[in-house]
């Protein structure tokens, strides 16, 4: 149980990453990914990378610069412009629905204007899910200058687009519905220089 713990990615740039094992039985027509990050990087970095053999950016949360997040589904992306962080923890949730092609982005419990992305697409189920690196091939192909350095915690993936109430609950670290990937019962493997430590403050 990783309650009140974090992954510390110590080096910059880094070849380290964490492999997450999700119970994915079937392809995804809807999903929500949430996580909390703390970094002083101003260069591009990957937060959550979900690749299939057919598509390396099947799901990707990527931060090209401090005032921008990119959310990829099936290799296409939408950009959400955000205020430059105050060097504090940032909580992000991104959800997507195939039927409507609606991409939602929430930062620190607040929704950004919704955007259209990959209507009718299906996200493949046989996936390599990594924290800390952006995959350019299935489970590999890393660019060290897209690596994450800093702290990550409270990583979740659901096979549904969460309701606004649940998006806010994720930000407030309240009780959440069962997930494909849940921080409280995470099956993971550390590769390289990543340390699990208690969170310094709430």
């Amino acid at each position: 149980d990783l309650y009140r713990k974090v992954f510390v990615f110590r080096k910059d740039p880094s070849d380290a990453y964490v492999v997450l094992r999700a119970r994915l039985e079937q392809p995804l027509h809807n999903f929500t990914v949430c996580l909390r990050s703390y970094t002083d990087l101003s260069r591009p970095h990957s937060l959550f990378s979900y690749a299939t053999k057919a598509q390396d950016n099947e799901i990707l949360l990527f931060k090209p610069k401090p005032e921008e997040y990119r959310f990829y589904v099936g290799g296409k992306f939408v950009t959400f412009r955000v205020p430059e962080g105050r060097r504090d923890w940032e909580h992000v949730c991104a959800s997507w629905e195939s039927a409507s092609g609606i991409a939602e982005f929430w930062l620190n419990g607040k929704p950004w204007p919704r955007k259209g992305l990959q209507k009718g697409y299906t996200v493949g189920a046989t996936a390599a899910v990594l924290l800390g690196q952006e995959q350019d091939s299935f489970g590999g192909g890393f660019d060290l200058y897209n690596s994450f350095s800093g702290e990550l915690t409270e990583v979740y993936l659901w096979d549904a687009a969460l309701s606004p109430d649940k998006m806010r609950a994720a930000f407030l670290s309240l009780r959440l519905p069962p997930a494909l990937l849940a921080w409280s019962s995470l099956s993971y493997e550390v590769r390289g220089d990543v340390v699990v430590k208690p969170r310094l403050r709430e």
Side-chain angles (χ1 to χ4, degrees):
D1 183 4
L2 290 170
Y3 179 66
R4 291 208 170 146
K5 294 199 167 78
V6 301
F7 289 131
V8 182
F9 293 78
R10 297 196 318 163
K11 282 167 49 198
D12 173 29
S14 171
D15 57 1
Y17 59 102
V18 177
V19 181
L20 304 183
R21 293 198 170 69
R23 297 178 204 63
L24 287 156
E25 334 273 65
Q26 63 249 25
L28 299 174
H29 299 283
N30 311 285
F31 70 82
T32 305
V33 58
C34 294
L35 55 84
R36 214 178 282 275
S37 68
Y38 189 31
T39 180
D40 58 6
L41 290 176
S42 52
R43 63 165 174 75
H45 56 277
S46 173
L47 293 163
F48 181 94
S49 171
Y50 175 120
T52 58
K53 293 212 164 70
Q55 176 52 255
D56 54 352
N57 294 335
E58 191 73 280
I59 302 173
L60 175 64
L61 265 178
F62 191 77
K63 207 169 180 196
K65 47 190 172 200
E67 63 282 359
E68 195 175 289
Y69 279 91
R70 277 188 196 166
F71 176 33
Y72 287 75
V73 177
K76 305 264 191 324
F77 70 89
V78 285
T79 298
F80 294 93
R81 286 172 189 81
V82 300
E84 189 165 338
R86 298 183 308 283
R87 298 285 180 242
D88 203 349
W89 282 98
E90 286 190 0
H91 183 266
V92 296
C93 287
S95 78
W96 172 80
E97 305 177 326
S98 175
S100 62
I102 289 286
E104 259 184 49
F105 181 83
W106 291 64
L107 176 66
N108 296 335
K110 295 189 178 69
W112 254 235
R114 288 173 275 205
K115 302 200 172 183
L117 183 63
Q118 290 286 54
K119 185 175 176 177
Y121 187 79
T122 302
V123 170
T126 309
V129 185
L130 305 188
L131 303 176
Q133 298 287 351
E134 191 248 315
Q135 302 173 74
D136 284 328
S137 60
F138 187 72
F142 308 141
D143 173 350
L144 298 192
Y145 291 94
N146 287 334
S147 63
F148 179 78
S149 165
E151 306 192 10
L152 283 179
T153 189
E154 286 177 40
V155 181
Y156 287 88
L157 175 67
W158 289 272
D159 58 354
L162 291 194
S163 68
D165 285 355
K166 294 284 188 288
M167 290 288 204
R168 283 186 280 271
F171 169 60
L172 296 168
S173 306
L174 302 177
R175 258 187 88 105
L176 293 165
L180 299 171
L181 283 171
W183 190 250
S184 52
S185 57
L186 204 62
S187 173
Y188 68 92
E189 199 178 318
V190 167
R191 305 275 172 88
D193 196 346
V194 183
V195 186
V196 176
K197 296 292 281 180
R199 225 163 114 175
L200 291 174
R201 61 188 180 83
E202 289 314 301

